[in-house]
Amino acid sequence: MNRLPCDPSTNVCPDFMDERYRASRTVFVTATTTEAQAAVNLRAIWETTNDALCAQWQLQVAEDERLRTEQKRLAEEEEERQVQAVRLEEETALAEEKKKNRNKYHVLPERPRPTAAEDEILVSDFAMRKLDKGLYVEIYYWTNDGLDDALTNYRTKDDEGMVPTTGEDGSTVWVSAAATRPSTGVIPDRNLTTVDFAQAVPRMINSLEEKGWPKQRVLMLARFWGAIMIHRHWNSRDKSAHRGLMLFQEEQRRAWHNAIPIPANAWDISIINETVIIRTVDRVYRDDRNKQDLSNDFKVCSASTALHQPLLTNPFLSSSNQRS
């Protein structure tokens, strides 16, 4: 159907009795139809045709309106899509910026300075990141020396101090370089003194709670360390017994962390196995005896070598023998 160029309802029916329409009237003139009747017939034909054109025009107008509405909707959807794309790009860039500069975007509480602020501690970034991942980390980082080391080595972090690492969901996460390096002065748990251990444990428990560790695991560790500190070997005069207890603590905690990813292998670490403690203490005692025996053998060997050294090695004795 051809498109109409204008509204046919504005058309005016011509006067078919006019001389210009003589030829058109003549076609309809017959023995029973006069020219006046022919003009009436022509008018009826014109009106019928114009009515059909008006109906077509109404359909055309409705279709044009539908197309305009559809085009407007598509344009608005495209505009909204572009706005959303820009917003998503900005949000993604902002999220990356927040990862790189966490301190800049950290939400601060609107409150006066806490009265206990001077008692707050600064723990190594490396140790705290280990806790974030639920991994084993040495207790040293919560001792006085470990906290002093973290404070001494603290630096203001900027983009040059950030390194990429892989997050738990496989995405790239920017962290401070310090969070990827252990302390150069870290002391294994087995070599900690009772004083250092007792000072560090409460601080480490607080850090575990701050990092959102499950309450069950925090309680297990708290009870485990409590059992260590009330064990008969804790204040023993026998250094091997005390060192064996500390080695037991370190080995048990390492094994416990390694077993956590496999639920079937995990256990309640707060349940102390006295047999394992005895074996560990015995192992430390035997290692100490072996070291002492090796030291004694070295001393005996050195003394024997000195005793049998030839006299000629002494220049004074050598000259005396020649004169005689």
Side-chain angles (χ1 to χ4, degrees):
M1 186 179 295
N2 295 332
R3 182 176 178 81
L4 298 179
C6 60
D7 184 0
S9 64
T10 61
N11 294 340
V12 177
C13 181
D15 181 7
F16 287 103
M17 288 301 295
D18 190 270
E19 186 63 24
R20 292 176 299 168
Y21 298 102
R22 176 183 293 275
S24 298
R25 291 195 305 272
T26 302
V27 175
F28 292 94
V29 173
T30 63
T32 59
T33 304
T34 65
E35 282 195 32
Q37 291 175 331
V40 171
N41 291 338
L42 287 173
R43 181 180 182 85
I45 293 173
W46 183 92
E47 289 177 347
T48 300
T49 302
N50 195 67
D51 288 344
L53 292 176
C54 287
Q56 179 183 341
W57 175 260
Q58 293 300 321
L59 292 175
Q60 181 176 300
V61 169
E63 179 64 13
D64 289 347
E65 181 63 23
R66 187 191 69 80
L67 290 176
R68 280 194 298 271
T69 302
E70 180 67 12
Q71 290 174 354
K72 181 180 179 181
R73 182 185 67 81
L74 293 176
E76 290 175 348
E77 288 182 355
E78 176 62 19
E79 182 180 359
E80 179 63 20
R81 187 192 67 78
Q82 293 179 2
V83 170
Q84 291 293 341
V86 172
R87 183 179 302 159
L88 178 60
E89 183 178 352
E90 292 175 348
E91 291 176 351
T92 302
L94 180 59
E96 290 296 324
E97 170 71 10
K98 288 183 177 180
K99 287 180 181 180
K100 293 170 64 177
N101 301 297
R102 290 178 297 174
N103 291 342
K104 177 180 177 182
Y105 295 95
H106 185 68
V107 178
L108 300 179
E110 297 180 0
R111 64 180 184 183
R113 180 178 180 179
T115 56
E118 63 273 12
D119 297 329
E120 295 180 1
I121 61 176
L122 176 66
V123 183
S124 161
D125 285 345
F126 173 80
M128 296 304 283
R129 181 161 174 77
K130 284 276 193 175
L131 288 190
D132 268 334
K133 293 184 176 183
L135 303 177
Y136 173 88
V137 61
E138 291 81 359
I139 297 177
Y140 161 82
Y141 291 101
W142 285 265
T143 64
N144 288 345
D145 289 342
L147 298 178
D148 289 344
D149 181 54
L151 185 60
T152 300
N153 291 287
Y154 178 78
R155 297 290 184 272
T156 300
K157 303 173 183 63
D158 54 23
D159 289 350
E160 295 181 353
M162 307 295 287
V163 295
T165 185
T166 302
E168 302 218 351
D169 58 355
S171 62
T172 299
V173 179
W174 288 87
V175 299
S176 65
T180 64
R181 294 194 301 267
S183 170
T184 56
V186 64
I187 299 175
D189 287 4
R190 70 187 72 180
N191 295 332
L192 291 177
T193 65
T194 54
V195 174
D196 285 339
F197 188 89
Q199 288 175 339
V201 163
R203 296 167 178 165
M204 189 169 183
I205 291 175
N206 288 336
S207 294
L208 293 174
E209 293 175 340
E210 289 175 5
K211 288 300 181 182
W213 273 46
K215 185 176 180 180
Q216 180 199 39
R217 297 186 186 180
V218 176
L219 286 175
M220 283 184 182
L221 283 172
R223 291 168 181 165
F224 171 66
W225 286 325
I228 292 294
M229 289 188 283
I230 64 174
H231 194 274
R232 66 180 185 279
H233 291 329
W234 178 253
N235 291 317
S236 175
R237 293 180 180 274
D238 185 348
K239 294 182 178 181
S240 296
H242 177 263
R243 288 177 51 241
L245 182 64
M246 297 301 292
L247 178 60
F248 167 81
Q249 185 277 150
E250 176 183 326
E251 291 179 342
Q252 288 294 299
R253 199 159 61 88
R254 282 185 183 276
W256 182 71
H257 276 280
N258 291 336
I260 287 176
I262 309 174
N265 293 343
W267 75 93
D268 184 351
I269 194 174
S270 66
I271 302 175
I272 301 295
N273 190 325
E274 190 65 31
T275 302
V276 177
I277 292 180
I278 294 173
R279 291 174 181 171
T280 307
V281 171
D282 183 63
R283 176 153 48 95
V284 171
Y285 174 77
R286 285 186 281 107
D287 288 344
D288 289 345
R289 286 298 303 270
N290 289 336
K291 292 178 182 178
Q292 185 62 42
D293 290 343
L294 289 175
S295 177
N296 292 339
D297 290 344
F298 177 77
K299 291 178 181 178
V300 171
C301 181
S302 299
S304 177
T305 301
L307 182 63
H308 293 87
Q309 188 175 12
L311 294 176
L312 290 178
T313 57
N314 189 321
F316 298 102
L317 295 176
S318 176
S319 301
S320 175
N321 291 336
Q322 290 177 359
R323 286 195 299 271
S324 61

